[in-house]
Amino acid sequence: MSHEGIRFVSKEEQARESEGNRPISRIAITPEKVRVLLTEGKGLEIDWADGHRSAWGFAWLRDACPCATCVDERKNEGRKIGQPKSKAADLLPMYKPLAKPASAHAVGRYALQFNWLDGHSGGIYSWEYLRRNCQCRECTFAAAETTGSPN
Ligand SMILES: [Zn+2]
Ligand SMILES: [Zn+2]
């Protein structure tokens, strides 16, 4: 039941998805501590080897799913990584699936995978992807400075 065939991503698309490819050091994408706050339902926290600490809410992570299907969906709807679907596109709010994972596990030594309660699990969240999309104040401020808003 997979619709996720091989796809070729153009340079332009890649740049758009990664929100500006600033160089990143290996130490910055080496996690020292990974905490998935499943029982609290809060999100993911990572302490990196360079001393930086990142935190992401589960709703953000679900809307930032890096699988080909979600990447396409975001592209078609003009959404950024982690940006929720517009209200108009939503079904009745009561049918909105919970943006929470039932479980999470490591993929090799480079990534994390979530099994979302809505049944989705195709996204592999690499450390680099997560670090590049760090949602802490400092990083989101820096990203807003460099990318600005096209609209
Ligand atoms: Zn996905
Ligand atoms: Zn950060």
Side-chain angles (χ1 to χ4, degrees), residues 27-77:
I27 195 168
I29 54 169
T30 303
E32 222 148 53
K33 273 188 193 158
V34 179
R35 287 178 299 273
V36 184
L37 306 171
L38 272 183
T39 40
E40 297 93 326
K42 277 171 79 178
L44 169 68
E45 289 177 4
I46 295 179
D47 293 342
W48 303 100
D50 68 350
H52 197 76
R53 173 180 278 197
S54 303
W56 304 263
F58 284 133
W60 186 93
L61 289 163
R62 181 63 184 84
D63 287 321
C65 176
C67 84
T69 307
C70 292
V71 167
D72 276 346
E73 206 178 283
R74 280 199 297 276
K75 199 172 65 132
N76 292 338
E77 295 170 10

Side-chain angles (χ1 to χ4, degrees), residues 48 52-55 131 133-140:
W48 303 100
H52 197 76
R53 173 180 278 197
S54 303
R131 179 64 192 256
N133 291 289
C134 176
Q135 293 298 294
C136 80
R137 271 187 109 108
E138 199 184 315
C139 293
T140 49

